[in-house]
């Protein structure tokens, strides 16, 4: 190894030593010994390891202030919105970590649920609704449930000990699902009725519970029925009708079970979900937006009829053309429309986009993954469907498990409707009544005026971005490191509370 190369290696070693708190001069003196020098002279392998170690340590040290900022965000809820990043925060050891009062060019730092720090030059999505931050007020909820019980026949109060008995004291054997804010149990009541029991955990907030209670006021064959409530001490429990076959997710993504979903059943599910959304958007007089439509939240009864479930994220609007704005963007990656995922804007067209993705999932048996690259707003499944439409290959999207037992014209019509629903501009997406009409029609659908997703007009160069993702059940931390960008534009942190 040339002397210049050796000193380069030693320089890298010194940098790493400084980062981890090792005396650099002591390290160099160790290298002067023949044995250590021999080990360093093994060549590029050792040098690469040192560089990698330095890179990793450098990355994590640069993330410490941001992680500390996230950890401390809950303590700063009542402070005015910041025009950048605070000039100093405290880490867990109570030391101050300083960085510029305004960090320019951050790719994105988004703290969903507590606060939001935006891209440079952008405004926050809006102040966080203080009502959404309050923990559950037990007395207030009891009064609300009692009031709904009086006005909604079929919605009643359940005895807590009856529920404990029905679930075998909330045993693991009775557990049929778990989410960020609740656990679902299967239980049998004394009269023999089998029910689904949602037990909210301590992190659940008032609006999660209230949103679910909207179901008590609406009834439709394609919406899961809310039967009653129970509040006992700190326990908050909702009781639903039980869907025998479980969720669509357990069928459509399972290699064995998906064969049980022939085309007539899949078409029935598509049309049933559409009718359920039509009711939510128009006939319920509440203009309810579900905001988290996905296979997990479509339950199937004994006859494989679909029932939309999980209304913890649902919101009501003043009309079918109104928009809402939130800083608490919930929902599932791959099913959220661009305007909602990026700006927190939701409307009935939010569900239309999610429905379009759901239709493509049902037809293809594939997931819609949001690729970890710049400007991916629609996901790979939607993108592939658009490409196939442009190239006249829509038939290639059909799930191979269907074999040849389907009517191609029906499938092509459903895919075309899905493409209309997944347009990026919400104003050009059809309404759900229009969608239901198109699905029932035997006529051709003209797609000449479709607006292609913007990302189909350019290609993202390979190597521009390297990324690392860390996710948890109730909290998602999505960290993207852009290797070719300046340090101040390298990190995107997203904290998203997912609700069941």
């Amino acid at each position: 190894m040339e002397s210049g190369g050796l000193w380069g290696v030693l320089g890298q070693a010194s940098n790493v030593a400084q980062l981890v708190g090792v005396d650099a001069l002591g390290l160099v003196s160790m290298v002067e010994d023949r044995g250590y020098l021999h080990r360093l002279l093994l060549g590029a392998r050792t040098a690469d390891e040192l560089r990698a170690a330095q890179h990793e340590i450098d990355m994590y040290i640069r993330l410490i202030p941001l992680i500390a900022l996230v950890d401390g965000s809950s303590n700063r809820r009542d402070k005015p919105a910041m025009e950048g990043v605070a000039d100093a925060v405290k880490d867990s050891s109570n030391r101050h970590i300083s960085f510029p009062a305004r960090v320019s060019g951050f790719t994105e730092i988004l703290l969903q649920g507590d606060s939001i720090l935006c891209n440079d030059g952008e405004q926050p999505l809006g102040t966080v609704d203080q009502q959404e931050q309050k923990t559950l007020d037990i007395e207030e909820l009891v009064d609300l449930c009692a009031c709904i019980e009086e006005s909604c026949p079929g919605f009643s109060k359940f005895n807590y000990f009856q529920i404990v008995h029905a679930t075998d004291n909330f045993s693991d054997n009775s557990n049929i699902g778990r989410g960020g804010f609740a656990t679902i149990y299967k239980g049998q009541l004394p009269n023999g009725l089998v029910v689904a029991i949602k037990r909210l955990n301590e992190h659940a907030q008032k609006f999660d519970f209230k949103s679910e209670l909207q179901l008590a006021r609406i009834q439709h064959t394609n919406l899961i029925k809310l039967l009653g409530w129970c509040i006992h001490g700190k326990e908050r429990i909702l009781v639903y009708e039980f869907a025998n076959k479980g969720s669509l997710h357990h069928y459509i993504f399972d290699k064995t079970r998906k064969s049980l979903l022939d085309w007539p059943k899949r078409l029935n599910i598509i049309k049933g979900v559409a009718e359920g959304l039509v009711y939510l958007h128009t006939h319920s007089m509440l203009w309810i937006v579900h905001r988290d439509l996905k296979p997990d939240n479509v339950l199937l009864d004994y006859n494989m009829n679909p029932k939309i479930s999980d209304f913890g994220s649902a919101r009501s609007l003043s009309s079918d053309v109104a928009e809402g704005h939130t800083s608490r963007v919930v929902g599932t990656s791959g099913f959220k429309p661009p305007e909602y995922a990026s700006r927190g804007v939701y409307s009935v067209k939010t569900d239309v986009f999610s429905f379009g993705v759901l239709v493509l999932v049902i037809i293809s048996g594939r997931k819609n993954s949001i690729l970890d690259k710049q400007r991916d707003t629609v996901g790979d499944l939607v993108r592939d469907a658009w490409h196939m439409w442009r190239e006249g290959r829509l038939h290639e999207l059909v799930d191979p498990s269907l074999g040849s037992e389907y009517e191609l014209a029906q499938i092509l019509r459903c895919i075309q409707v899905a493409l209309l629903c997944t347009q990026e501009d919400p104003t050009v997406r059809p309404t759900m009544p229009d969608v239901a009409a198109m699905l029932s029609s035997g006529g051709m659908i003209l797609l000449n005026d479709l607006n292609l997703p913007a990302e189909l007009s350019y290609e993202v160069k390979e190597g521009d971005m390297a990324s690392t993702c860390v996710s948890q059940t109730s909290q998602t931390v999505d960290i993207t490191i852009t290797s070719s960008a300046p340090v101040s534009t390298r990190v995107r942190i997203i904290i998203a509370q997912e609700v069941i």
Side-chain angles (χ1 to χ4, degrees):
M1 181 183 291
E2 298 180 358
S3 59
L6 174 60
W7 285 112
V9 173
L10 294 178
Q12 296 286 350
S14 176
N15 288 338
V16 176
Q18 293 177 30
L19 287 170
V20 299
V22 176
D23 180 12
L25 293 177
L27 180 63
V28 173
S29 66
M30 292 168 63
V31 174
E32 289 178 350
D33 179 80
R34 186 176 184 81
Y36 289 98
L37 182 60
H38 174 73
R39 293 166 66 180
L40 283 174
L41 293 179
L42 290 176
R45 174 179 168 183
T46 303
D48 289 342
E49 291 176 352
L50 288 169
R51 292 189 189 98
Q54 181 194 19
H55 174 76
E56 292 292 326
I57 296 172
D58 176 74
M59 179 182 71
Y60 287 119
I61 284 181
R62 294 187 187 281
L63 287 176
I64 286 174
L66 295 172
I67 295 171
L69 180 63
V70 172
D71 290 339
S73 63
S74 61
N75 296 324
R76 301 192 304 277
R77 289 177 178 172
D78 297 330
K79 294 183 179 181
M82 295 178 291
E83 187 188 346
V85 181
D87 58 352
V89 296
K90 291 183 179 181
D91 64 8
S92 58
S93 61
N94 209 36
R95 295 173 300 175
H96 280 79
I97 302 174
S98 300
F99 43 101
R102 186 173 184 83
V103 180
S104 62
F106 262 86
T107 302
E108 188 176 46
I109 304 178
L110 181 61
L111 311 183
Q112 298 175 355
D114 290 330
S115 61
I116 294 185
L117 308 179
C118 301
N119 294 339
D120 188 25
E122 292 185 352
Q123 295 298 318
L125 300 184
T127 58
V128 180
D129 186 351
Q130 294 299 318
Q131 184 74 6
E132 292 193 351
Q133 293 186 11
K134 294 173 62 177
T135 56
L136 292 172
D137 185 312
I138 300 300
E139 292 184 1
E140 181 181 345
L141 289 178
V142 169
D143 292 340
L144 176 61
C145 290
C147 180
I148 296 177
E149 184 179 351
E150 291 180 0
S151 60
C152 298
F155 180 73
S156 58
K157 182 178 180 180
F158 284 80
N159 181 276
Y160 176 71
F161 299 101
Q162 184 182 57
I163 290 177
V164 169
H165 179 73
T167 59
D168 192 19
N169 197 20
F170 302 106
S171 68
D172 290 339
N173 291 334
S174 300
N175 189 334
I176 57 174
R178 189 184 303 273
F181 297 104
T183 303
I184 310 296
Y185 297 88
K186 178 182 178 181
Q188 185 171 10
L189 300 178
N191 61 4
L193 180 64
V194 178
V195 295
I197 296 171
K198 175 178 280 191
R199 184 190 193 193
L200 278 72
N201 62 31
E202 61 182 357
H203 300 296
Q205 296 177 306
K206 177 185 297 185
F207 64 99
D208 297 312
F209 195 92
K210 282 187 173 181
S211 295
E212 294 274 2
L213 288 176
Q214 294 181 91
L215 268 178
R217 302 183 185 277
I218 55 179
Q219 301 289 333
H220 189 274
T221 185
N222 295 120
L223 303 178
I224 201 71
K225 186 176 182 180
L226 179 59
L227 302 176
W229 62 284
C230 174
I231 295 179
H232 179 83
K234 294 184 178 181
E235 295 281 1
R236 290 88 61 195
I237 296 170
L238 293 170
V239 181
Y240 298 84
E241 66 172 316
F242 183 73
N244 305 68
K245 298 297 184 180
S247 75
L248 175 62
H249 178 96
H250 294 307
Y251 285 87
I252 203 68
F253 297 131
D254 186 275
K255 293 182 180 180
T256 302
R257 291 181 178 178
K258 68 166 53 180
S259 62
L260 300 176
L261 292 178
D262 57 18
W263 173 240
K265 288 187 177 68
R266 297 192 194 202
L267 181 60
N268 180 64
I269 291 171
I270 290 172
K271 290 183 176 181
V273 172
E275 292 297 335
L277 290 176
V278 169
Y279 182 82
L280 286 177
H281 292 179
T282 60
H283 300 316
S284 67
M285 296 183 293
L286 294 173
W287 295 284
I288 296 174
V289 184
H290 187 278
R291 299 202 306 174
D292 195 18
L293 186 66
K294 58 181 178 179
D296 305 72
N297 292 337
V298 175
L299 303 182
L300 304 174
D301 67 12
Y302 184 79
N303 294 315
M304 298 300 249
N305 294 313
K307 294 181 179 292
I308 301 173
S309 69
D310 196 344
F311 283 72
S313 303
R315 291 293 178 271
S316 298
L317 295 173
S318 59
S319 73
D320 59 351
V321 295
E323 288 185 345
H325 297 77
T326 182
S327 57
R328 184 180 182 267
V329 177
V330 296
T332 302
S333 177
F335 291 88
K336 292 182 288 189
E339 75 278 2
Y340 179 54
S342 63
R343 297 183 286 114
V345 177
Y346 62 90
S347 66
V348 292
K349 297 297 183 72
T350 300
D351 289 345
V352 173
F353 183 94
S354 301
F355 175 79
V357 177
L358 182 67
V359 170
L360 295 178
V361 168
I362 292 173
I363 291 174
S364 67
R366 291 174 47 187
K367 295 183 178 181
N368 186 43
S369 301
I370 297 294
L371 303 182
D372 194 12
K373 66 180 184 180
Q374 293 174 329
R375 302 183 186 179
D376 185 359
T377 59
V378 298
D380 61 346
L381 174 58
V382 175
R383 188 181 303 105
D384 288 349
W386 281 99
H387 280 302
M388 291 177 184
W389 170 71
R390 289 196 301 177
E391 298 166 9
R393 301 183 292 112
L394 282 180
H395 61 280
E396 296 181 13
L397 195 66
V398 180
D399 189 344
S401 69
L402 287 175
S404 59
E405 301 297 322
Y406 57 84
E407 293 187 25
L408 182 59
Q410 289 181 335
I411 285 187
L412 293 181
R413 184 182 302 111
C414 289
I415 296 176
Q416 291 172 331
V417 170
L419 292 178
L420 288 170
C421 293
T422 55
Q423 294 181 98
E424 284 190 292
D425 184 354
T427 63
V428 299
R429 296 173 202 152
T431 64
M432 284 311 304
D434 290 338
V435 168
M438 286 187 286
L439 290 173
S440 300
S441 171
M444 295 296 295
I445 300 174
L446 299 178
L447 302 181
N448 297 330
D449 297 328
L450 283 178
N451 296 325
L452 295 175
E455 63 185 74
L456 295 185
S457 63
Y458 69 88
E459 296 294 332
V460 178
K461 296 181 180 179
E462 293 185 3
D464 280 353
M465 182 175 289
S467 65
T468 302
C469 294
V470 182
S471 64
Q472 301 172 359
T473 300
S474 61
Q475 189 177 53
T476 300
V477 181
D478 181 2
I479 302 175
T480 301
I481 307 297
T482 305
S483 57
S484 60
V487 170
S488 62
T489 64
R490 293 175 68 179
V491 178
R492 181 186 66 185
I493 295 182
I494 298 176
I495 305 295
Q497 295 294 343
E498 302 233 2
V499 297
I500 183 169

